[in-house]
Amino acid sequence: MATNCRCNMIAGLFQCTNKLFLSDQATGLQIMEFARRNAANALSVANMVMGIASILGSLDGRHHAACWSILIGYLLDLADGAVARRLGTCSALGAKLDDFADFTTFGIATSLLLRTPDLLDHILCMCYILSVFVRLCFFSSGIPFMYCGLPCTYSAGVLASASLLSGNNTAMLRVLAVAMILFMINQSFYPHDRVLESEAWKKVVYAGGVVMLFCSFFLPPCVYYLLWSISYILFPTSLWSSKV
């Protein structure tokens, strides 16, 4: 009798342990699946956080930090779409998050790089934000793998890197901002570059951008991002069309 009770207790403990193990395993799988489904969304949120950090940096007079926050957002924005497609997790929520992040980082935060006490600069900031808004509204060109209007990621890259290189030269930034506004609203066609899903040299360019983050207190990284952005603006089809 005692032996049977002991066997039943051992069997019960084994069943409980097995259930706990299976439960933990199922929980682990659920966590992994949640992480997989939201990896791209996390990158978009991180991009938005960089935009907010840049806004706060501009308001506090930390110009260097504000510009580099935008350039970090630049890299995050180029990665989130690739991650979503790679994991098969593209969704309407992800698209909205991406637009909100882009508007925050490449619209509001970037416009604040142009801000001075001058009324005309305030108007220029508003025009820049509105042009980014228009650009995001007309994102779809109706042609596969093409954008309509210059992506605001690259216009922000030009302004942030040029601002760092020039020591926030107001006159030069005004000229560049007007040029970027015209590129964004003229509705010309630009290729969907898909840097992380295309030729190997594009991935090397992206990896170089990541490496440059560790040299952010020197001028060469700023030149790197400036040339990268300008190359897309000037040679969009010959250099940056998607060839997977």
Side-chain angles (χ1 to χ4, degrees):
M1 184 72 177
T3 303
N4 289 336
C5 288
R6 191 178 296 111
C7 289
N8 289 335
M9 287 177 64
I10 292 172
L13 286 172
F14 178 78
Q15 288 178 352
C16 289
T17 303
N18 192 39
K19 286 180 180 179
L20 285 172
F21 175 76
L22 292 175
S23 177
D24 289 344
Q25 191 176 32
T27 301
L29 290 173
Q30 288 174 350
I31 292 172
M32 289 178 63
E33 178 63 15
F34 178 82
R36 185 188 73 83
R37 288 183 175 277
N38 290 281
N41 292 343
L43 290 174
S44 294
V45 171
N47 180 13
M48 187 180 297
V49 169
M50 288 297 103
I52 295 169
S54 178
I55 291 169
L56 295 175
S58 292
L59 295 177
D60 288 343
R62 297 198 298 269
H63 175 254
H64 187 274
C67 290
W68 275 104
S69 294
I70 290 171
L71 292 176
I72 294 172
Y74 180 104
L75 294 174
L76 292 169
D77 184 59
L78 292 175
D80 60 5
V83 170
R85 288 185 290 272
R86 177 77 175 180
L87 298 178
T89 56
C90 297
S91 65
L93 173 62
K96 289 179 181 179
L97 278 176
D98 187 46
D99 282 346
F100 287 141
D102 288 353
F103 186 70
T104 301
T105 304
F106 310 127
I108 299 172
T110 302
S111 73
L112 289 179
L113 300 180
L114 311 169
R115 186 177 67 96
T116 70
D118 195 317
L119 176 61
L120 290 178
D121 286 329
H122 289 177
I123 294 173
L124 181 59
C125 287
M126 289 188 286
C127 290
Y128 189 88
I129 293 172
L130 289 173
S131 68
V132 171
F133 177 76
V134 169
R135 166 64 186 81
L136 292 171
C137 287
F138 291 96
F139 176 85
S140 176
S141 65
I143 301 175
F145 306 115
M146 296 294 286
Y147 293 127
C148 199
L150 176 68
C152 52
T153 308
Y154 291 98
S155 62
V158 168
L159 289 174
S161 52
S163 182
L164 286 167
L165 284 169
S166 67
N168 200 28
N169 185 296
T170 306
M172 187 187 73
L173 289 178
R174 288 170 182 159
V175 173
L176 285 175
V178 171
M180 294 302 103
I181 288 171
L182 294 175
F183 275 118
M184 284 189 286
I185 66 175
N186 70 0
Q187 301 301 291
S188 296
F189 294 124
Y190 288 87
H192 194 325
D193 50 355
R194 294 196 174 191
V195 175
L196 295 178
E197 303 166 88
S198 192
E199 299 101 321
W201 70 267
K202 293 181 183 177
K203 297 174 185 177
V204 171
V205 169
Y206 186 90
V210 174
V211 171
M212 290 297 174
L213 292 178
F214 298 97
C215 309
S216 59
F217 286 97
F218 303 97
L219 290 182
C222 307
V223 176
Y224 187 90
Y225 282 99
L226 182 62
L227 292 177
W228 182 359
S229 300
I230 289 178
S231 71
Y232 179 87
I233 295 170
L234 298 181
F235 310 105
T237 305
S238 57
L239 282 180
W240 294 100
S241 59
S242 181
K243 297 176 183 177
V244 180

